[in-house]
Amino acid sequence: MSQETKSTDFIRQIIDHDLSIGKNQGRVHTRFPPEPNGYLHIGHAKSICLNFGIAADYGGKCNLRFDDTNPETEETEYVEGIMDDVRWLGFEWDGEVKYASDIFDQLYEFALKLIRDGKAYVCDLTAAEVGQYRGPWSEPGQDSPYRNRSVEENLDLFERMKNGEFPDGSRTLRAKIDMAASNMNLRDPAMYRIRHAHHHRTGDKWCIYPTYDWTHGQTDSLEGITHSICTLEFEQHRPLYDWFVENLGIHHPQQIEFARLNLTNTVMSKRRLLELVRGGNVAGWDDPRMPTIVGLRRRGYTPESIRNFCARIGVTKANSLTEYGVLEQEIREHLNKTATRVMAVLDPLRVVIENYPAGEFENREFINNPEDPEAGTRQVPFGRELFIERSDFMENPPKGYFRLVPGGEVRLRYGYFIKCNEVIKDPQTGEVVELRCTYDPETSGGKAPDGRKVKGTIHWVSANHAVDAEVRLYEALLLDPPENPSPERDWKEDLNPNSLVVVKGAKLEPVLATATMSDRYQFERLGYFCLDKSATESQLVFNRTVTLKDSWAKEQKKNA
Ligand code: ATP
Ligand code: MG
């Protein structure tokens, strides 16, 4: 990043200050610590851009660390998916991938130290009892009856916990801090729980597992993290993390909290995303409607657009809700600069140009991208039979309709003027099935030599050359919730029934038969599109990444 564009958010200001006073010997080391219990979403992208972005800006390092303290939920599929997502976004972590489980042995040693120092104890209260003793925040809690066990007894019981002598949930190891603390996290929090569970990396070695609170700060410390950036809900945990590293006498990373990303018209918690996947509401984690990185990627989002979005929203300490349209605007801007303009007809109506010789064709020259002179031009076949969009013809047009009407003239994109002379209908249904037209050969350049004007320009494809495709159109995953929803209301009631519309039988310009997964197109007047991963040689499938304008927001307003 150049000096002029260097972001000056409050986190970078803290880092600038730390560097100016020589803290951490001038090192900047961050980390991105996902729990591998699902695929990453756009909220994680904010954290990724922040952590890896800071490392890049300051010539520092950023680790990728999996928080795998919870043995039951982690899956190798998610671990690999997350690595893939980080790389796709354009970042690379420092050294090997780290796992919280890498330090399970060390954490055990640390726990022994706290026990020996009289700062941790084995407690036999049940989870419910622990809650009762902890009390409400407004009143001091009560000491556990096991709080004053001797060091020897604690060492003995803790070792036997580790050796698997006690059933799940029967005992915990707790830090001995302050049962009267106003911060509930300091009321003797659990450090270890007994859980006879298989772990994806340590196997059956452990039947006690460290809590997230006991693991997080020590992992940061041992990795030499200088700035441990996390979301606001961990603010109240900071005093606890500080207590642990200070009482262990180890490196003290500085935790800094920022507001998480919230977006309208979607869900962002992995738990809810998993609910959609399991419930069959979407076709998987990479369904193009999902706010996951894999979903956005399949939808046609580019890494640049997501990074630009994260830069645009910035980082603050105040919780807020960002319009989904802000994300869409970023991909629109990027694709406007990079996508090849093509023609596609989603709802085809046949046009026969009666004065154009059958069996003859010509090439029309198209500009690939008016925003990019380097992109050049291509030839698009034109002939007697075309398809146009059904909505570009109206038999009884309202005032102000400038497209094709009976007896009217319209301009074909990069082509001639055509005039509609006859409307052919299905005798049974009355549906318009074909338009008989004539073209004016004098209007090849898109202008009439006699100076007569047409107001509308429509897109088309040559019927003889068109390729068939399925086209998938998307709307928001969730509709706006009602003004004051009751807390019991199921969030899934807001699922948008039109979030996916499948269009079969679309007719595309022949060049699209050679589309590859990395190609991005603007189907003129219809939006930006890309090939879907399900496409085969015999069945093209395209996803609409985004419409050309923010029609969704307008639609919502209209219906409000
Ligand atoms: P979720 O509730 O979606 O599962 P999480 O916070 O439990 O999210 P983690 O895998 O623990 O997910 O998060 C990894 C990192 O990403 C954390 O540092 C977390 O603070 C950050 N993160 C998660 N969601 C967001 C968000 N919406 N905005 C910004 N950062 C986020
Ligand atoms: Mg989590």
Side-chain angles (χ1 to χ4, degrees):
M1 226 183 244
S2 74
Q3 221 35 53
E4 300 80 62
T5 58
K6 190 160 171 171
S7 170
T8 53
D9 57 68
F10 78 98
I11 297 179
R12 285 172 169 87
Q13 284 168 12
I14 292 171
I15 296 173
D16 287 338
H17 175 257
D18 288 348
L19 289 174
S20 76
I21 60 169
K23 198 172 162 185
N24 301 308
Q25 302 82 45
R27 288 188 312 114
V28 174
H29 200 156
T30 57
R31 83 287 174 274
F32 173 64
E35 184 185 352
N37 59 347
Y39 281 82
L40 299 181
H41 52 63
I42 182 76
H44 292 111
K46 175 175 179 177
S47 178
I48 291 170
C49 289
L50 183 58
N51 281 294
F52 285 93
I54 283 174
D57 286 359
Y58 289 92
K61 294 175 177 174
C62 182
N63 291 0
L64 173 62
R65 179 204 315 143
F66 289 104
D67 246 310
D68 58 353
T69 46
N70 187 1
E72 273 114 3
T73 61
E74 283 110 24
E75 286 186 34
T76 313
E77 179 196 348
Y78 298 140
V79 167
E80 277 158 18
I82 289 170
M83 294 198 284
D84 220 40
D85 288 345
V86 171
R87 287 197 167 123
W88 181 76
L89 280 170
F91 299 106
E92 187 63 47
W93 48 90
D94 183 62
E96 296 282 302
V97 169
K98 314 280 192 290
Y99 294 86
S101 56
D102 292 342
I103 66 154
F104 279 0
D105 286 302
Q106 178 68 67
L107 278 176
Y108 184 76
E109 293 300 319
F110 282 155
L112 293 178
K113 174 180 162 50
L114 291 190
I115 294 174
R116 281 191 208 103
D117 292 347
K119 292 171 180 168
Y121 62 98
V122 173
C123 181
D124 303 356
L125 293 179
T126 63
E129 288 165 340
V130 167
Q132 282 158 17
Y133 277 80
R134 191 180 287 126
W137 70 270
S138 50
E139 287 165 29
Q142 249 182 298
D143 284 0
S144 159
Y146 306 99
R147 200 171 198 257
N148 292 317
R149 275 180 164 151
S150 69
V151 169
E152 288 66 36
E153 191 183 2
N154 280 321
L155 287 173
D156 174 60
L157 286 173
F158 187 50
E159 185 169 2
R160 290 166 59 196
M161 278 168 66
K162 184 186 86 154
N163 293 342
E165 290 185 29
F166 309 121
D168 283 9
S170 59
R171 291 192 157 93
T172 53
L173 183 74
R174 299 175 68 180
K176 194 173 184 173
I177 308 181
D178 180 4
M179 287 306 291
S182 58
N183 183 334
M184 300 293 277
N185 294 308
L186 296 178
R187 294 191 183 179
D188 292 9
M191 295 163 59
Y192 276 94
R193 296 198 175 88
I194 303 174
R195 237 150 145 192
H196 291 80
H198 187 83
H199 186 277
H200 77 128
R201 295 190 78 241
T202 58
D204 296 316
K205 176 174 176 186
W206 297 93
C207 51
I208 52 171
Y209 285 95
T211 59
Y212 179 82
D213 277 345
W214 167 240
T215 312
H216 196 74
Q218 282 66 268
T219 330
D220 279 344
S221 175
L222 293 176
E223 289 177 17
I225 301 304
T226 57
H227 299 85
S228 172
I229 300 166
C230 61
T231 40
L232 286 179
E233 67 273 20
F234 291 101
E235 196 163 15
Q236 289 295 309
H237 295 241
R238 179 165 19 105
L240 173 59
Y241 300 162
D242 289 350
W243 188 91
F244 283 139
V245 291
E246 274 156 25
N247 283 280
L248 291 169
I250 56 177
H251 164 66
H252 188 156
Q254 182 179 356
Q255 177 170 307
I256 308 170
E257 305 87 15
F258 71 101
R260 58 172 53 225
L261 169 68
N262 297 303
L263 270 183
T264 61
N265 303 102
T266 191
V267 271
M268 212 103 81
S269 103
K270 278 181 279 186
R271 193 174 49 76
R272 287 185 170 183
L273 294 172
L274 184 63
E275 214 177 314
L276 292 177
V277 172
R278 293 221 171 119
N281 303 93
V282 293
W285 283 97
D286 71 345
D287 186 298
R289 291 167 289 180
M290 292 280 269
T292 50
I293 305 298
V294 278
L296 291 165
R297 179 177 176 178
R298 182 166 168 197
R299 175 84 170 252
Y301 276 74
T302 56
E304 289 88 336
S305 65
I306 294 176
R307 293 198 302 263
N308 289 343
F309 169 73
C310 293
R312 168 154 309 187
I313 56 173
V315 280
T316 66
K317 267 208 171 289
N319 271 315
S320 65
L321 183 63
T322 301
E323 290 286 331
Y324 201 87
V326 177
L327 175 61
E328 293 193 321
Q329 196 47 35
E330 287 302 332
I331 185 63
R332 224 175 253 131
E333 272 173 34
H334 189 221
L335 294 179
N336 180 43
K337 289 186 210 126
T338 53
T340 304
R341 272 58 169 174
V342 295
M343 291 192 295
V345 174
L346 298 191
D347 186 9
L349 175 60
R350 185 176 293 269
V351 164
V352 178
I353 302 174
E354 293 180 300
N355 61 340
Y356 199 93
E360 274 187 30
F361 301 97
E362 65 180 270
N363 278 323
R364 308 295 307 176
E365 186 170 62
F366 268 64
I367 295 170
N368 283 326
N369 183 353
E371 303 289 320
D372 176 11
E374 307 273 284
T377 60
R378 76 177 180 288
Q379 303 298 323
V380 177
F382 175 85
R384 179 181 163 89
E385 295 200 16
L386 310 175
F387 290 115
I388 65 167
E389 212 68 68
R390 188 165 283 277
S391 59
D392 282 336
F393 170 78
M394 275 188 101
E395 206 172 7
N396 302 299
K399 207 167 170 286
Y401 184 86
F402 296 128
R403 290 166 277 164
L404 199 56
V405 299
E409 224 177 10
V410 79
R411 180 188 293 108
L412 295 176
R413 180 72 164 145
Y414 291 113
Y416 303 98
F417 289 9
I418 57 166
K419 182 174 178 185
C420 175
N421 303 312
E422 195 188 338
V423 181
I424 314 282
K425 294 182 182 172
D426 182 312
Q428 250 93 60
T429 64
E431 190 197 20
V432 177
V433 291
E434 186 178 297
L435 303 177
R436 310 294 291 190
C437 298
T438 46
Y439 85 116
D440 178 355
E442 299 293 310
T443 56
S444 178
K447 280 199 184 104
D450 62 7
R452 75 179 191 284
K453 299 269 190 267
V454 294
K455 278 198 171 149
T457 302
I458 65 174
H459 63 272
W460 51 274
V461 292
S462 163
N464 292 73
H465 302 86
V467 290
D468 293 314
E470 174 178 318
V471 174
R472 298 177 184 170
L473 307 177
Y474 303 99
E475 275 185 10
L477 187 57
L478 293 186
L479 298 168
D480 287 337
E483 277 286 326
N484 296 304
S486 84
E488 298 89 59
R489 191 167 181 275
D490 183 3
W491 64 275
K492 290 214 287 300
E493 280 181 39
D494 296 325
L495 280 172
N496 179 2
N498 301 319
S499 58
L500 167 64
V501 174
V502 178
V503 177
K504 305 229 184 227
K507 299 284 185 184
L508 315 183
E509 211 189 292
V511 68
L512 289 164
T514 60
T516 65
M517 293 301 295
S518 58
D519 290 325
R520 295 289 183 280
Y521 297 97
Q522 184 193 98
F523 290 4
E524 289 203 349
R525 300 171 67 214
L526 299 173
Y528 293 99
F529 292 78
C530 68
L531 200 62
D532 185 69
K533 71 167 193 186
S534 66
T536 61
E537 234 165 82
S538 56
Q539 176 63 71
L540 288 175
V541 181
F542 283 88
N543 290 317
R544 177 152 71 186
T545 309
V546 68
T547 53
L548 291 180
K549 284 195 216 86
D550 193 357
S551 52
W552 171 249
K554 251 190 262 158
E555 197 60 28
Q556 291 277 89
K557 270 200 199 92
K558 206 170 70 193
N559 295 336

